[in-house]
């Protein structure tokens, strides 16, 4: 893996940071991208990591990011909790732009390098909400469902070129995104944050705990490793039994 180069989005914290660190531990040269410059500082201290500050929702600026990468991890995302009839249209557009159109554009501009090399790995950090829906998350669920379809198309097109494309689908992970949801969901449901954790976030899962970012990163590393050549077009669920119902 020492010859590989990866681009990881949303890398300043949570799943993205864990993925960047895990790939760097395998010797991959990682380009860590986020708009949170302060959050990237810790990653920037690692030998195998370079950091790039960028707003991925600014689609025209995505062309400025490196395209000569062998591994692309689309992770950047945000959440908004509101009923459909109250959901701000501009926020809906922003979430789809950041979480669906930006991954499409990044895949589109990095595939030529992967095709030329005859090897590439696209890993899309989806969610259990790429496979299931929950109330009050219209934009997030729509974006993740779209990402699932995009990933499968890339898998079919890329197979002849040595490129795989897969989704990783965790339930709730211990990240700043989930922490922020506790307050939003508490206000929406009229519950305390601890009640939201137990009665909303963890209610559908059999394993009653949040997933750790490092657990997701381990699966990402496997999908980028030497045993992954025939793993493509799939969605790998880390949901504590949510979808077993």
């Amino acid at each position: 893996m020492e010859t590989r180069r990866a681009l990881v989005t949303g890398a300043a914290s949570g799943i993205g940071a864990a993925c960047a660190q895990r790939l760097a531990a395998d010797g991959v040269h990682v380009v860590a991208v986020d708009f949170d410059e302060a959050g990237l500082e810790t990653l920037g201290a690692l030998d195998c990591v370079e950091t790039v500050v960028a707003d991925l929702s600014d689609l025209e600026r995505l062309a400025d990011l490196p395209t000569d990468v062998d591994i692309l991890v689309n992770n950047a995302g945000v959440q908004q909790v509101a009923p459909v009839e109250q959901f701000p249209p501009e926020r809906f557009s922003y979430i789809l732009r950041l979480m669906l159109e930006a991954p499409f554009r990044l895949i589109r501009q990095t595939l030529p390098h992967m095709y030329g090399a005859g090897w590439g790995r696209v890993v899309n950090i989806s969610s259990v909400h790429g496979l299931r829906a929950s109330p009050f998350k219209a934009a997030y669920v729509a974006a993740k469902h779209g990402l699932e379809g995009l990933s499968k198309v890339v898998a079919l097109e890329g197979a002849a070129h040595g490129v795989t494309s897969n989704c990783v689908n965790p339930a709730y992970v211990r990240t700043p995104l989930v922490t922020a949801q506790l307050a939003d969901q508490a206000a929406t449901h009229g519950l305390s944050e601890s009640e939201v954790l137990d009665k909303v976030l963890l209610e559908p899962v059999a394993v009653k705990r949040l997933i750790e970012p490092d657990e997701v990163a381990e699966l990402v590393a496997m999908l980028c490793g030497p045993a992954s050549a025939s793993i493509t077009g799939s969605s790998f669920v880390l949901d504590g039994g949510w979808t077993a119902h």
Side-chain angles (χ1 to χ4, degrees):
M1 298 295 285
E2 289 81 2
T3 62
R4 304 301 184 190
R5 181 173 163 89
L7 191 151
V8 179
T9 69
S13 64
I15 294 171
C19 289
Q21 292 167 343
R22 181 63 181 81
L23 291 172
D26 279 347
V28 177
H29 181 89
V30 177
V31 181
V33 181
D34 205 296
F35 65 70
D36 180 3
E37 184 173 5
L40 289 172
E41 289 181 1
T42 300
L43 286 176
L46 301 176
D47 289 339
C48 292
V49 179
E50 64 176 288
T51 60
V52 176
V53 178
D55 178 0
L56 296 171
S57 70
D58 186 351
L59 300 178
E60 300 307 316
R61 298 299 301 273
L62 297 181
D64 297 334
L65 295 176
T67 59
D68 58 338
V69 296
D70 311 292
I71 297 167
L72 172 62
V73 180
N74 285 310
N75 168 71
V78 295
Q79 181 61 277
Q80 177 85 22
V81 178
V84 170
E85 72 276 13
Q86 298 175 17
F87 210 101
E90 66 281 2
R91 188 64 171 172
F92 188 95
S93 297
Y94 171 81
I95 289 174
L96 264 68
R97 191 164 68 246
L98 174 66
M99 295 171 53
L100 182 55
E101 190 165 358
F104 159 73
R105 292 200 183 202
L106 291 174
I107 293 169
R108 181 180 183 274
Q109 69 188 37
T110 55
L111 278 181
H113 171 80
M114 295 180 187
Y115 285 2
W119 193 96
R121 298 290 181 266
V122 178
V123 181
N124 299 300
I125 306 301
S126 181
S127 166
V128 67
H129 284 114
L131 307 173
R132 296 288 189 273
S134 289
F136 311 117
K137 298 180 179 180
Y140 188 90
V141 170
K144 293 302 189 184
H145 273 67
L147 188 63
E148 294 283 328
L150 172 63
S151 184
K152 289 177 172 63
V153 171
V154 174
L156 295 177
E157 294 185 8
H161 305 279
V163 175
T164 66
S165 175
N166 293 286
C167 287
V168 175
N169 302 69
Y172 292 104
V173 182
R174 194 184 306 277
T175 65
L177 184 67
V178 169
T179 301
Q181 274 191 68
L182 291 175
D184 289 344
Q185 292 270 22
T188 299
H189 294 283
L191 301 171
S192 69
E193 291 189 16
S194 62
E195 288 174 321
V196 168
L197 181 62
D198 292 336
K199 297 180 179 180
V200 180
L201 271 62
L202 297 182
E203 191 279 330
V205 305
V207 181
K208 299 295 185 182
R209 67 173 181 84
L210 295 175
I211 300 164
E212 299 298 332
D214 288 347
E215 297 176 71
V216 183
E218 285 295 330
L219 180 51
V220 171
M222 183 275 289
L223 292 173
C224 297
S228 62
S230 293
I231 303 173
T232 196
S234 296
S235 300
F236 290 83
V237 181
L238 295 83
D239 69 352
W242 186 328
T243 54
H245 290 284

